[in-house]
Amino acid sequence: MAKTTPAAIWLMRAIFVGLALVIMFFHLLPLDTTPRRWAPPDLLLAMALAWTARRADFVPPLLIAAVMLLADLLFQRPPGLWALLVLLACEFIRSRLPASRETPFLGEWFAVSVVIIAIALLNRVILGMLAVEQAHIALILVQVIMTIAAYPVVVLLSQSVFGVRRLSPADAETLGARL
C-alpha cells in the first residue's frame, strides 16, 4: 500500500525541498573556475518531472513553483520564466497521470523527453524574442540530451532510496480525490 498519511506526504514534500536545496548547493559550488565545454543535466527538472509522474501528491504546484523560482534567482536566470515552464510541464504530466498509470517506463521516458525538449525550445524562443543573451545552442542541446539521459537514474534513485513509486490502480482508487 502506498504511503497515504498526511504526515508521510508532508515528509516527502520536505524531502523534495531538501533534495532540491542540495542540488542547488552543489550546482553553485565553485569546483572549476574555467568555462565548461559541456552543460550538466538539469537534475532539478528531472526530479520535478519524475516525482510528478510517479506521485503527484508529493509535489504540489505551489511547491514546484517556489523551488524553481528560488533556482532561477540563485542561478541568475530571468526570474520566473524557467519556473513557469517547469510548472506548466509538471502540470501537463499531472494531467496525463490517470491515463499513464499502466504505461511502461519507456512510454513515460518518451513523454518526459518530449516535454523536456518542448520547454527547452520554448525557453530559447521566449528569451530570443525578448533579446536576452543566451548560451550557445550546442550547450543547450547537450544539457537537454544529458537531462533526458539522467531521467532514468533520477527515477531509479527516487524509487529505490525515497520510495517514490507509481500508484497501482487499486491504490489510486483508494486515494480517490487526493490525486
Side-chain angles (χ1 to χ4, degrees), residues 18-126:
L19 286 173
L21 291 174
V22 167
I23 290 170
M24 287 182 226
F25 174 76
F26 281 108
H27 185 76
L28 291 172
L29 278 179
L31 298 175
D32 191 11
T33 57
T34 60
R36 295 183 193 154
R37 295 192 182 275
W38 61 279
D42 191 345
L43 294 176
L44 279 175
L45 172 63
M47 186 175 71
L49 291 173
W51 283 47
T52 302
R54 298 281 159 162
R55 286 295 300 266
D57 55 333
F58 289 167
V59 282
L62 190 58
L63 183 65
I64 293 171
V67 166
M68 291 302 166
L69 184 60
L70 178 64
D72 282 350
L73 296 173
L74 289 176
F75 299 156
Q76 297 181 358
R77 297 187 290 222
L81 176 61
W82 190 252
L84 175 68
L85 292 175
V86 172
L87 180 64
L88 291 174
C90 288
E91 287 304 304
F92 174 75
I93 295 293
R94 188 183 317 259
S95 71
R96 292 190 64 241
L97 201 60
S100 67
R101 274 201 209 291
E102 296 181 16
T103 304
F105 177 73
L106 287 177
E108 174 189 337
W109 192 14
F110 178 75
V112 167
S113 299
V114 169
V115 167
I116 291 171
I117 292 168
I119 64 174
L121 284 175
L122 272 171
N123 186 49
R124 187 135 179 108
V125 166
I126 292 170

Side-chain angles (χ1 to χ4, degrees), residues 41 109 112-114 116-117 143-152:
W109 192 14
V112 167
S113 299
V114 169
I116 291 171
I117 292 168
Q143 185 175 34
V144 165
I145 291 169
M146 294 206 36
T147 303
I148 291 169
Y151 182 77

